[in-house]
Amino acid sequence: MDKKLKILLVNDDGISSPGIVHLAEMAMQLGEVWVAAPSSQCSAMSQKLTIFQPLDVEEYDFPLPVAGAYSIGGTPADCVKTALKALLPIRPDVVFSGINIGYNAGFDIAYSGTVGAAMEALLNGVPAIAFSETHVGCREVTDMFLYEIARELIQRPLAGEIWNVNFPDCTLNEYRGILRDVKIEPHCFFENFYNTAENENGCALSPYAELLDPEYTEKGSDLWAVLHGCIAIGRVKNMLLG
């Protein structure tokens, strides 16, 4: 790969998240890196945009020597849109979104701000890859294969789709390989429920979540893959692009 890429990094966990720093370390091996990320935690924002109020934008002292970094008081999709249309002096060749703290697989991709940011890039004509890993546990597989996977996928741009990559939380000894073009698991990793409690206004609903049992996942799906020690690489279609 002779061309020095121009890469925009975004996430949904906020610009101070260690995941985006890890992603930047890898991306700097591939080209010139710019960062535009939310100023605060923005998980489960999907592709939400801010349209009724101004967006606060500050240059950010990123811990690595990237070409430029911006902290944006908006959603992950806002970060992509403002970077492309107002902030960057260049047009990126690719957008990397993540590394998310927690898997983005199964039906969770519909809610994911990480995936939403990648979709916003796609709508603006820029190829995108979403990266996610475990919210707890071992990150040995991410550390070993992040660069290899990114290098592979930037050479395989998609039309009307993004690449969605999830890394398992197993050790390298437990790692079982890469599953490519995995199907989307027809469940969420976290199943949401609500407890009801009375309050002065009547009642309140307190959300809680239960993890999906790995034995109930469909073999060959994205969630099955990461819960059984595999890197899952899948395609997520943007319905607006046919």
Side-chain angles (χ1 to χ4, degrees):
M1 183 174 56
D2 297 325
K3 179 184 177 182
K4 185 177 181 181
L5 293 174
K6 298 178 178 65
I7 305 167
L8 171 62
L9 267 56
V10 65
N11 72 353
D12 73 358
D13 292 314
I15 197 164
S16 63
S17 170
I20 200 168
V21 178
H22 193 174
L23 189 59
E25 286 180 318
M26 179 278 295
M28 289 171 65
Q29 301 176 59
L30 296 170
E32 178 182 274
V33 175
W34 296 78
V35 179
S39 58
S40 60
Q41 171 61 249
C42 285
S43 291
M45 290 281 186
S46 189
Q47 211 168 334
K48 177 183 177 182
L49 291 174
T50 302
I51 57 176
F52 292 118
Q53 62 191 51
L55 291 168
D56 293 327
V57 177
E58 297 181 3
E59 290 193 37
Y60 185 78
D61 185 17
F62 202 73
L64 294 173
V66 296
Y70 300 92
S71 172
I72 299 170
T75 69
D78 284 330
C79 293
V80 173
K81 190 175 282 290
T82 56
L84 296 180
K85 295 183 177 295
L87 298 176
L88 300 191
I90 54 88
R91 182 170 177 81
D93 299 300
V94 65
V95 168
F96 290 169
S97 187
I99 303 170
N100 191 64
I101 303 172
Y103 299 134
N104 278 308
F107 286 171
D108 288 313
I109 62 174
Y111 307 107
S112 167
T114 304
V115 173
M119 286 297 183
E120 186 61 38
L122 192 61
L123 283 179
N124 285 273
V126 182
I129 307 170
F131 299 93
S132 303
E133 64 180 3
T134 178
H135 64 292
V136 292
C138 181
R139 294 176 171 84
E140 289 183 10
V141 177
T142 308
D143 294 341
M144 178 62 69
F145 293 101
L146 178 62
Y147 173 80
E148 176 185 321
I149 296 296
R151 185 178 173 86
E152 172 192 337
L153 295 182
I154 58 178
Q155 298 181 69
R156 298 171 57 196
L158 299 172
E161 296 173 301
I162 65 165
W163 290 115
N164 186 40
V165 182
N166 284 273
F167 294 94
D169 69 352
C170 61
T171 66
L172 290 175
N173 287 335
E174 298 166 320
Y175 170 62
R176 297 175 60 187
I178 300 172
L179 289 189
R180 292 174 172 82
D181 287 326
V182 291
K183 58 187 176 182
I184 296 172
E185 167 70 31
H187 298 94
C188 291
F189 184 46
F190 289 98
E191 184 69 24
N192 295 107
F193 301 94
Y194 297 88
N195 287 320
T196 303
E198 293 186 3
N199 63 18
E200 59 184 12
N201 297 316
C203 74
L205 298 177
S206 299
Y208 69 96
E210 294 183 358
L211 293 178
L212 178 67
D213 187 328
E215 297 308 310
Y216 292 131
T217 57
E218 285 195 12
K219 188 173 183 179
S221 70
D222 48 10
L223 268 177
W224 182 92
V226 291
L227 294 178
H228 289 81
C230 300
I231 297 172
I233 302 177
R235 304 166 185 242
V236 182
K237 188 177 185 64
N238 191 310
M239 302 305 292
L240 296 177
L241 298 178

